[in-house]
Amino acid sequence: MTSVTYSSTRGGQTNLDFRSVVMQGLARDRGLFVPDELPKVALEEIESWRSLSYPDMAVEVLSKFIKEDQVPAEKLKDIVHRSCASFRVPEVTPIKAIGGHYVLELFHGPTFAFKDVALQMLGNFFEYFLETGSNGGRLAVLGATSGDTGSAAIAGLRGKKGVDCIILFPNGRVSEIQERQMTTVPDSNIHCVAVEGTFDDCQDLVKASFNTPDFRDKVHLGAVNSINWCRVLAQTTYYYWSYLRVTDEDKEIKEINCSVPTGNFGDVLAGFYSKLMGLPLGRLVVATNENDILHRFFTNGEYHREDIAESISPSMDICVSSNFERYLFHLAGNDAEKLAGWMKDFETTKKLTVSGDLLAQAQADFGSARADTAMTLAAMKEYNEKYNYVLCPHSAVGVSAIQQLNLVSLSTVCLATAHDGKFPAAVQQVIDPLPTPPPELAALESLPTRRVELPNDLQAIQDFVLQCVS
């Protein structure tokens, strides 16, 4: 059996193996890697996973894509089990019935955010591939964060042999705790950079670095943002877990709906790919805050870039969703030439518009809703007062979305993407006194920090990366 292969959404690279796409991150033609064929999973096989632990179930899902020609079965099992062992609960992502629906708690990892699920695995895949000959054993990971990716990437890569990890974040635009989760890590291979600008500026600097061939190849550049296919693949696992746990409670439920707080589109895209593979998923809801480019697309077909509005859910303050290109490739009928034309126009005009059959297809694939600050705070207040449950401001966007769409039921799962303790300023607006934070977060206050401030300038960033790896 051979592993699934991958090609760029824009057609410039085809038929790459898993190791190559993980190590390369972004395609050379600026496209994103997508599977050449999605493996199918029959309902009988999913049923056979019902009694498995989370890590064992995750191995079954990942091994649909990753065969012995890429990672030996025992090594794959080792990578997944070690990744899951860093979580504070044995279920890894426990699911709870609250308010007439389910909440999937994705915040029990080292940095209290959903990104730990994928980034613990990605760090261990990087380590294995470097140990077995990739890049001559060296990798410079350059990532951009709107708050949670940075600390999760750092937790997955700190102390890893042969890896330098450089994380760019928008100065003053992440929560204080999110920043401290990054800047208090003492390992010498970790470098935190506060960039004067927005998250989209940071993301553009990362993409531009990948599109500078001499620099990219000299430093052996790698990606931790969800442009890296491994991130999306690892995140499919908790959709299978959710389905199995919900149907444990009610065998009559034939499919589940999932509401996903969405910024860069990677998390909900993992659900979409799971559904295409055969997982019984009903509505996939794209839940956005005021930065609602995705909601506007699924409402009227307009993917039009606007300026970022600062909100109380900073991890979703994104005006261009980097993973959306993977879905647009699917919407274009897997036609790389058509997709490349769309992206070229979008990069020039900042606008992409679909209508007619294409819009109808998009609306069949995804529902969407927008929750502004007032609606988000209202959901947080309601769940605290009625159910004694504290939602983070991102998770509350997902809850507001199912209320708006009349999807509140025990066949609906809201993805809780981060722990409320990371966002005390937002939580305190509706809950006073604040809940006691987890001790791991409280301890950050007294630790020394390290960070570098740099302008929103590509040359300055690349010079810093070169300094880090020299």
Side-chain angles (χ1 to χ4, degrees):
M1 291 287 286
T2 55
S3 299
V4 171
T5 57
Y6 303 87
S7 297
S8 169
T9 49
R10 304 190 191 188
Q13 285 183 282
T14 56
N15 204 36
L16 274 70
D17 61 17
F18 179 68
R19 177 188 287 254
S20 299
V21 299
V22 170
M23 297 306 292
Q24 192 177 314
L26 192 68
R28 299 291 187 244
D29 60 0
R30 298 186 299 134
L32 303 184
F33 291 115
V34 288
D36 290 323
E37 193 173 335
L38 274 174
K40 298 297 182 189
V41 186
L43 196 53
E44 297 75 32
E45 186 171 13
I46 297 171
E47 277 301 321
S48 74
W49 301 342
R50 190 171 290 280
S51 62
L52 298 181
S53 67
Y54 190 102
D56 284 338
M57 181 218 65
V59 170
E60 294 295 328
V61 176
L62 297 186
S63 62
K64 291 285 171 191
F65 292 83
I66 307 165
K67 305 296 184 186
E68 292 265 354
D69 61 317
Q70 292 300 299
V71 182
E74 278 306 307
K75 180 45 105 173
L76 179 62
K77 185 176 180 180
D78 169 64
I79 285 172
V80 173
H81 275 259
R82 281 192 292 118
S83 301
C84 292
S86 66
F87 284 69
R88 290 179 296 280
V89 292
E91 313 96 296
V92 183
T93 64
I95 191 163
K96 296 179 179 177
I98 294 159
H101 61 87
Y102 284 95
V103 174
L104 177 68
E105 294 186 341
L106 296 171
F107 49 72
H108 293 281
T111 71
F112 297 83
F114 80 96
K115 296 175 183 185
D116 288 320
V117 176
L119 282 162
Q120 286 293 307
M121 291 192 204
L122 179 57
N124 287 323
F125 277 117
F126 277 151
E127 184 175 54
Y128 170 69
F129 290 147
L130 290 172
E131 285 172 351
T132 53
S134 289
N135 286 8
R138 295 290 305 170
L139 183 70
V141 167
L142 181 62
T145 187
S146 54
D148 287 332
T149 293
S151 57
I154 287 166
L157 296 172
R158 60 184 297 184
K160 295 280 190 202
K161 185 181 175 186
V163 178
D164 278 288
C165 176
I166 300 99
I167 297 295
L168 313 181
F169 65 92
N171 200 2
R173 286 176 178 251
V174 300
S175 83
E176 184 183 354
I177 288 176
Q178 286 176 314
E179 181 170 332
R180 283 187 166 273
Q181 283 187 296
M182 296 185 280
T183 59
T184 55
V185 174
D187 299 67
S188 61
N189 72 322
I190 301 300
H191 314 276
C192 302
V193 182
V195 174
E196 294 305 327
T198 66
F199 167 72
D200 285 80
D201 293 327
C202 296
Q203 189 159 256
D204 288 345
L205 289 165
V206 170
K207 287 183 176 177
S209 294
F210 275 94
N211 295 324
T212 312
D214 291 347
F215 169 78
R216 177 190 70 211
D217 298 341
K218 182 176 183 179
V219 301
H220 299 301
L221 208 58
V224 284
N225 286 89
S226 51
I227 55 175
N228 194 311
W229 166 251
C230 185
R231 284 271 307 267
V232 179
L233 177 58
Q235 287 167 188
T236 63
T237 59
Y238 46 71
Y239 286 92
Y240 288 87
W241 182 257
S242 297
Y243 169 78
L244 290 167
R245 299 296 73 84
V246 168
T247 53
D248 276 345
E249 299 302 319
D250 186 349
K251 294 284 188 284
E252 296 303 308
I253 291 175
K254 299 304 180 197
E255 61 181 26
I256 63 168
N257 310 304
C258 293
S259 179
V260 189
T262 306
N264 251 338
F265 202 74
D267 203 2
V268 75
L269 183 69
F272 180 67
Y273 283 136
S274 302
K275 184 175 182 177
L276 293 181
M277 289 172 68
L279 183 65
L281 296 180
R283 293 303 277 156
L284 285 168
V285 177
V286 173
T288 76
N289 65 11
E290 292 91 333
N291 298 287
D292 60 354
I293 187 171
L294 292 167
H295 175 54
R296 283 182 278 121
F297 177 83
F298 289 111
T299 303
N300 57 29
E302 294 180 354
Y303 189 70
H304 295 181
R305 179 171 182 159
E306 295 180 355
D307 290 339
I308 286 183
E310 279 193 72
S311 78
I312 59 168
S313 43
S315 300
M316 296 158 65
D317 289 349
I318 294 168
C319 65
V320 174
S321 302
S322 63
N323 255 292
F324 198 52
E325 181 167 334
R326 286 187 167 112
Y327 174 67
L328 289 172
F329 176 76
H330 173 83
L331 196 60
N334 297 352
D335 183 334
E337 189 176 348
K338 179 187 279 191
L339 184 279
W342 285 359
M343 296 313 295
K344 186 179 180 187
D345 289 346
F346 177 72
E347 286 161 4
T348 304
T349 66
K350 308 286 189 273
K351 292 181 179 181
L352 189 159
T353 307
V354 302
S355 58
D357 290 346
L358 286 178
L359 178 57
Q361 178 61 54
Q363 291 171 335
D365 290 336
F366 294 93
S368 72
R370 172 191 191 271
D372 62 18
T373 295
M375 297 162 85
T376 304
L377 289 171
M380 292 163 69
K381 189 172 194 289
E382 176 191 356
Y383 274 60
N384 181 59
E385 291 177 354
K386 280 189 183 176
Y387 312 115
N388 196 30
Y389 190 83
V390 184
L391 294 163
C392 94
H394 308 79
S395 309
V397 169
V399 168
S400 175
I402 65 164
Q403 293 174 338
Q404 293 177 53
L405 298 173
N406 296 316
L407 284 174
V408 177
S409 81
L410 288 175
S411 58
T412 294
V413 178
C414 287
L415 276 60
T417 49
H419 193 285
D420 62 274
K422 297 182 76 165
F423 307 97
V427 174
Q428 197 158 28
Q429 293 185 48
V430 287
I431 302 174
D432 194 22
L434 276 172
T436 304
E440 297 92 335
L441 295 180
L444 296 172
E445 192 63 40
S446 59
L447 296 176
T449 61
R450 293 183 305 133
R451 61 172 240 174
V452 173
E453 292 186 18
L454 290 176
N456 176 16
D457 177 77
L458 183 62
Q459 192 61 54
I461 298 299
Q462 292 185 351
D463 288 347
F464 180 73
V465 174
L466 284 163
Q467 182 186 320
C468 292
V469 303
S470 62

mmCIF file with all atom_site columns, all heavy atoms in Angstrom, residues 161-176:
data_model
loop_
_atom_site.group_PDB
_atom_site.id
_atom_site.type_symbol
_atom_site.label_atom_id
_atom_site.label_alt_id
_atom_site.label_comp_id
_atom_site.label_asym_id
_atom_site.label_entity_id
_atom_site.label_seq_id
_atom_site.pdbx_PDB_ins_code
_atom_site.Cartn_x
_atom_site.Cartn_y
_atom_site.Cartn_z
_atom_site.occupancy
_atom_site.B_iso_or_equiv
_atom_site.pdbx_formal_charge
_atom_site.auth_seq_id
_atom_site.auth_comp_id
_atom_site.auth_asym_id
_atom_site.auth_atom_id
_atom_site.pdbx_PDB_model_num
ATOM 1   N N   . LYS A 1 161 ? 15.853 18.943 18.312 1.00 0.00 ? 161 LYS A N   1
ATOM 2   C CA  . LYS A 1 161 ? 17.172 18.988 17.681 1.00 0.00 ? 161 LYS A CA  1
ATOM 3   C C   . LYS A 1 161 ? 17.058 19.393 16.214 1.00 0.00 ? 161 LYS A C   1
ATOM 4   O O   . LYS A 1 161 ? 16.227 18.867 15.467 1.00 0.00 ? 161 LYS A O   1
ATOM 5   C CB  . LYS A 1 161 ? 17.832 17.612 17.804 1.00 0.00 ? 161 LYS A CB  1
ATOM 6   C CG  . LYS A 1 161 ? 19.263 17.567 17.287 1.00 0.00 ? 161 LYS A CG  1
ATOM 7   C CD  . LYS A 1 161 ? 19.846 16.167 17.424 1.00 0.00 ? 161 LYS A CD  1
ATOM 8   C CE  . LYS A 1 161 ? 21.235 16.110 16.804 1.00 0.00 ? 161 LYS A CE  1
ATOM 9   N NZ  . LYS A 1 161 ? 21.770 14.730 16.781 1.00 0.00 ? 161 LYS A NZ  1
ATOM 10  N N   . GLY A 1 162 ? 17.907 20.341 15.808 1.00 0.00 ? 162 GLY A N   1
ATOM 11  C CA  . GLY A 1 162 ? 17.971 20.741 14.413 1.00 0.00 ? 162 GLY A CA  1
ATOM 12  C C   . GLY A 1 162 ? 16.914 21.746 13.991 1.00 0.00 ? 162 GLY A C   1
ATOM 13  O O   . GLY A 1 162 ? 16.871 22.151 12.831 1.00 0.00 ? 162 GLY A O   1
ATOM 14  N N   . VAL A 1 163 ? 16.042 22.180 14.929 1.00 0.00 ? 163 VAL A N   1
ATOM 15  C CA  . VAL A 1 163 ? 14.934 23.076 14.583 1.00 0.00 ? 163 VAL A CA  1
ATOM 16  C C   . VAL A 1 163 ? 15.137 24.439 15.238 1.00 0.00 ? 163 VAL A C   1
ATOM 17  O O   . VAL A 1 163 ? 15.379 24.530 16.446 1.00 0.00 ? 163 VAL A O   1
ATOM 18  C CB  . VAL A 1 163 ? 13.576 22.508 15.053 1.00 0.00 ? 163 VAL A CB  1
ATOM 19  C CG1 . VAL A 1 163 ? 12.444 23.475 14.726 1.00 0.00 ? 163 VAL A CG1 1
ATOM 20  C CG2 . VAL A 1 163 ? 13.308 21.151 14.419 1.00 0.00 ? 163 VAL A CG2 1
ATOM 21  N N   . ASP A 1 164 ? 15.038 25.508 14.444 1.00 0.00 ? 164 ASP A N   1
ATOM 22  C CA  . ASP A 1 164 ? 14.866 26.857 14.984 1.00 0.00 ? 164 ASP A CA  1
ATOM 23  C C   . ASP A 1 164 ? 13.440 27.281 14.692 1.00 0.00 ? 164 ASP A C   1
ATOM 24  O O   . ASP A 1 164 ? 12.945 27.089 13.577 1.00 0.00 ? 164 ASP A O   1
ATOM 25  C CB  . ASP A 1 164 ? 15.848 27.847 14.348 1.00 0.00 ? 164 ASP A CB  1
ATOM 26  C CG  . ASP A 1 164 ? 17.221 27.780 14.995 1.00 0.00 ? 164 ASP A CG  1
ATOM 27  O OD1 . ASP A 1 164 ? 17.340 28.253 16.142 1.00 0.00 ? 164 ASP A OD1 1
ATOM 28  O OD2 . ASP A 1 164 ? 18.147 27.245 14.364 1.00 0.00 ? 164 ASP A OD2 1
ATOM 29  N N   . CYS A 1 165 ? 12.780 27.851 15.679 1.00 0.00 ? 165 CYS A N   1
ATOM 30  C CA  . CYS A 1 165 ? 11.377 28.242 15.536 1.00 0.00 ? 165 CYS A CA  1
ATOM 31  C C   . CYS A 1 165 ? 11.259 29.751 15.722 1.00 0.00 ? 165 CYS A C   1
ATOM 32  O O   . CYS A 1 165 ? 11.555 30.267 16.806 1.00 0.00 ? 165 CYS A O   1
ATOM 33  C CB  . CYS A 1 165 ? 10.527 27.496 16.561 1.00 0.00 ? 165 CYS A CB  1
ATOM 34  S SG  . CYS A 1 165 ? 8.789  27.971 16.573 1.00 0.00 ? 165 CYS A SG  1
ATOM 35  N N   . ILE A 1 166 ? 10.850 30.446 14.664 1.00 0.00 ? 166 ILE A N   1
ATOM 36  C CA  . ILE A 1 166 ? 10.704 31.904 14.697 1.00 0.00 ? 166 ILE A CA  1
ATOM 37  C C   . ILE A 1 166 ? 9.230  32.227 14.501 1.00 0.00 ? 166 ILE A C   1
ATOM 38  O O   . ILE A 1 166 ? 8.628  31.877 13.474 1.00 0.00 ? 166 ILE A O   1
ATOM 39  C CB  . ILE A 1 166 ? 11.547 32.583 13.584 1.00 0.00 ? 166 ILE A CB  1
ATOM 40  C CG1 . ILE A 1 166 ? 13.037 32.245 13.762 1.00 0.00 ? 166 ILE A CG1 1
ATOM 41  C CG2 . ILE A 1 166 ? 11.343 34.091 13.607 1.00 0.00 ? 166 ILE A CG2 1
ATOM 42  C CD1 . ILE A 1 166 ? 13.521 31.128 12.865 1.00 0.00 ? 166 ILE A CD1 1
ATOM 43  N N   . ILE A 1 167 ? 8.632  32.875 15.498 1.00 0.00 ? 167 ILE A N   1
ATOM 44  C CA  . ILE A 1 167 ? 7.205  33.176 15.458 1.00 0.00 ? 167 ILE A CA  1
ATOM 45  C C   . ILE A 1 167 ? 6.989  34.687 15.391 1.00 0.00 ? 167 ILE A C   1
ATOM 46  O O   . ILE A 1 167 ? 7.486  35.434 16.246 1.00 0.00 ? 167 ILE A O   1
ATOM 47  C CB  . ILE A 1 167 ? 6.479  32.605 16.694 1.00 0.00 ? 167 ILE A CB  1
ATOM 48  C CG1 . ILE A 1 167 ? 6.586  31.070 16.720 1.00 0.00 ? 167 ILE A CG1 1
ATOM 49  C CG2 . ILE A 1 167 ? 5.014  33.037 16.717 1.00 0.00 ? 167 ILE A CG2 1
ATOM 50  C CD1 . ILE A 1 167 ? 5.878  30.350 15.591 1.00 0.00 ? 167 ILE A CD1 1
ATOM 51  N N   . LEU A 1 168 ? 6.226  35.127 14.386 1.00 0.00 ? 168 LEU A N   1
ATOM 52  C CA  . LEU A 1 168 ? 5.863  36.531 14.231 1.00 0.00 ? 168 LEU A CA  1
ATOM 53  C C   . LEU A 1 168 ? 4.464  36.757 14.787 1.00 0.00 ? 168 LEU A C   1
ATOM 54  O O   . LEU A 1 168 ? 3.537  35.996 14.486 1.00 0.00 ? 168 LEU A O   1
ATOM 55  C CB  . LEU A 1 168 ? 5.861  36.924 12.747 1.00 0.00 ? 168 LEU A CB  1
ATOM 56  C CG  . LEU A 1 168 ? 7.051  36.504 11.883 1.00 0.00 ? 168 LEU A CG  1
ATOM 57  C CD1 . LEU A 1 168 ? 6.858  37.022 10.450 1.00 0.00 ? 168 LEU A CD1 1
ATOM 58  C CD2 . LEU A 1 168 ? 8.361  37.009 12.459 1.00 0.00 ? 168 LEU A CD2 1
ATOM 59  N N   . PHE A 1 169 ? 4.308  37.793 15.616 1.00 0.00 ? 169 PHE A N   1
ATOM 60  C CA  . PHE A 1 169 ? 2.973  38.134 16.102 1.00 0.00 ? 169 PHE A CA  1
ATOM 61  C C   . PHE A 1 169 ? 2.776  39.644 16.023 1.00 0.00 ? 169 PHE A C   1
ATOM 62  O O   . PHE A 1 169 ? 3.744  40.410 16.115 1.00 0.00 ? 169 PHE A O   1
ATOM 63  C CB  . PHE A 1 169 ? 2.728  37.596 17.516 1.00 0.00 ? 169 PHE A CB  1
ATOM 64  C CG  . PHE A 1 169 ? 3.590  38.197 18.599 1.00 0.00 ? 169 PHE A CG  1
ATOM 65  C CD1 . PHE A 1 169 ? 3.164  39.302 19.324 1.00 0.00 ? 169 PHE A CD1 1
ATOM 66  C CD2 . PHE A 1 169 ? 4.827  37.637 18.905 1.00 0.00 ? 169 PHE A CD2 1
ATOM 67  C CE1 . PHE A 1 169 ? 3.949  39.849 20.330 1.00 0.00 ? 169 PHE A CE1 1
ATOM 68  C CE2 . PHE A 1 169 ? 5.619  38.171 19.919 1.00 0.00 ? 169 PHE A CE2 1
ATOM 69  C CZ  . PHE A 1 169 ? 5.178  39.283 20.626 1.00 0.00 ? 169 PHE A CZ  1
ATOM 70  N N   . PRO A 1 170 ? 1.518  40.107 15.839 1.00 0.00 ? 170 PRO A N   1
ATOM 71  C CA  . PRO A 1 170 ? 1.264  41.548 15.716 1.00 0.00 ? 170 PRO A CA  1
ATOM 72  C C   . PRO A 1 170 ? 1.405  42.224 17.077 1.00 0.00 ? 170 PRO A C   1
ATOM 73  O O   . PRO A 1 170 ? 0.693  41.870 18.025 1.00 0.00 ? 170 PRO A O   1
ATOM 74  C CB  . PRO A 1 170 ? -0.167 41.616 15.181 1.00 0.00 ? 170 PRO A CB  1
ATOM 75  C CG  . PRO A 1 170 ? -0.802 40.335 15.600 1.00 0.00 ? 170 PRO A CG  1
ATOM 76  C CD  . PRO A 1 170 ? 0.284  39.301 15.657 1.00 0.00 ? 170 PRO A CD  1
ATOM 77  N N   . ASN A 1 171 ? 2.307  43.171 17.166 1.00 0.00 ? 171 ASN A N   1
ATOM 78  C CA  . ASN A 1 171 ? 2.611  43.823 18.443 1.00 0.00 ? 171 ASN A CA  1
ATOM 79  C C   . ASN A 1 171 ? 1.350  44.479 19.023 1.00 0.00 ? 171 ASN A C   1
ATOM 80  O O   . ASN A 1 171 ? 0.695  45.278 18.364 1.00 0.00 ? 171 ASN A O   1
ATOM 81  C CB  . ASN A 1 171 ? 3.699  44.882 18.223 1.00 0.00 ? 171 ASN A CB  1
ATOM 82  C CG  . ASN A 1 171 ? 4.406  45.257 19.518 1.00 0.00 ? 171 ASN A CG  1
ATOM 83  O OD1 . ASN A 1 171 ? 4.119  44.712 20.583 1.00 0.00 ? 171 ASN A OD1 1
ATOM 84  N ND2 . ASN A 1 171 ? 5.335  46.190 19.428 1.00 0.00 ? 171 ASN A ND2 1
ATOM 85  N N   . GLY A 1 172 ? 1.004  44.085 20.258 1.00 0.00 ? 172 GLY A N   1
ATOM 86  C CA  . GLY A 1 172 ? -0.142 44.685 20.932 1.00 0.00 ? 172 GLY A CA  1
ATOM 87  C C   . GLY A 1 172 ? -1.487 44.152 20.514 1.00 0.00 ? 172 GLY A C   1
ATOM 88  O O   . GLY A 1 172 ? -2.525 44.636 20.974 1.00 0.00 ? 172 GLY A O   1
ATOM 89  N N   . ARG A 1 173 ? -1.511 43.125 19.648 1.00 0.00 ? 173 ARG A N   1
ATOM 90  C CA  . ARG A 1 173 ? -2.794 42.627 19.125 1.00 0.00 ? 173 ARG A CA  1
ATOM 91  C C   . ARG A 1 173 ? -3.057 41.167 19.497 1.00 0.00 ? 173 ARG A C   1
ATOM 92  O O   . ARG A 1 173 ? -3.890 40.503 18.885 1.00 0.00 ? 173 ARG A O   1
ATOM 93  C CB  . ARG A 1 173 ? -2.849 42.798 17.605 1.00 0.00 ? 173 ARG A CB  1
ATOM 94  C CG  . ARG A 1 173 ? -3.046 44.246 17.160 1.00 0.00 ? 173 ARG A CG  1
ATOM 95  C CD  . ARG A 1 173 ? -2.999 44.347 15.640 1.00 0.00 ? 173 ARG A CD  1
ATOM 96  N NE  . ARG A 1 173 ? -3.221 45.701 15.165 1.00 0.00 ? 173 ARG A NE  1
ATOM 97  C CZ  . ARG A 1 173 ? -4.323 46.106 14.536 1.00 0.00 ? 173 ARG A CZ  1
ATOM 98  N NH1 . ARG A 1 173 ? -5.318 45.262 14.340 1.00 0.00 ? 173 ARG A NH1 1
ATOM 99  N NH2 . ARG A 1 173 ? -4.440 47.347 14.112 1.00 0.00 ? 173 ARG A NH2 1
ATOM 100 N N   . VAL A 1 174 ? -2.310 40.633 20.448 1.00 0.00 ? 174 VAL A N   1
ATOM 101 C CA  . VAL A 1 174 ? -2.642 39.332 21.038 1.00 0.00 ? 174 VAL A CA  1
ATOM 102 C C   . VAL A 1 174 ? -2.891 39.584 22.520 1.00 0.00 ? 174 VAL A C   1
ATOM 103 O O   . VAL A 1 174 ? -2.466 40.608 23.061 1.00 0.00 ? 174 VAL A O   1
ATOM 104 C CB  . VAL A 1 174 ? -1.519 38.284 20.831 1.00 0.00 ? 174 VAL A CB  1
ATOM 105 C CG1 . VAL A 1 174 ? -1.267 38.058 19.350 1.00 0.00 ? 174 VAL A CG1 1
ATOM 106 C CG2 . VAL A 1 174 ? -0.239 38.712 21.522 1.00 0.00 ? 174 VAL A CG2 1
ATOM 107 N N   . SER A 1 175 ? -3.581 38.668 23.199 1.00 0.00 ? 175 SER A N   1
ATOM 108 C CA  . SER A 1 175 ? -3.825 38.896 24.620 1.00 0.00 ? 175 SER A CA  1
ATOM 109 C C   . SER A 1 175 ? -2.506 38.787 25.383 1.00 0.00 ? 175 SER A C   1
ATOM 110 O O   . SER A 1 175 ? -1.546 38.146 24.934 1.00 0.00 ? 175 SER A O   1
ATOM 111 C CB  . SER A 1 175 ? -4.854 37.900 25.172 1.00 0.00 ? 175 SER A CB  1
ATOM 112 O OG  . SER A 1 175 ? -4.254 36.662 25.525 1.00 0.00 ? 175 SER A OG  1
ATOM 113 N N   . GLU A 1 176 ? -2.461 39.414 26.547 1.00 0.00 ? 176 GLU A N   1
ATOM 114 C CA  . GLU A 1 176 ? -1.224 39.417 27.331 1.00 0.00 ? 176 GLU A CA  1
ATOM 115 C C   . GLU A 1 176 ? -0.790 37.994 27.672 1.00 0.00 ? 176 GLU A C   1
ATOM 116 O O   . GLU A 1 176 ? 0.394  37.658 27.623 1.00 0.00 ? 176 GLU A O   1
ATOM 117 C CB  . GLU A 1 176 ? -1.416 40.233 28.621 1.00 0.00 ? 176 GLU A CB  1
ATOM 118 C CG  . GLU A 1 176 ? -0.146 40.354 29.434 1.00 0.00 ? 176 GLU A CG  1
ATOM 119 C CD  . GLU A 1 176 ? -0.341 41.105 30.741 1.00 0.00 ? 176 GLU A CD  1
ATOM 120 O OE1 . GLU A 1 176 ? -1.437 41.638 30.970 1.00 0.00 ? 176 GLU A OE1 1
ATOM 121 O OE2 . GLU A 1 176 ? 0.613  41.128 31.541 1.00 0.00 ? 176 GLU A OE2 1
#
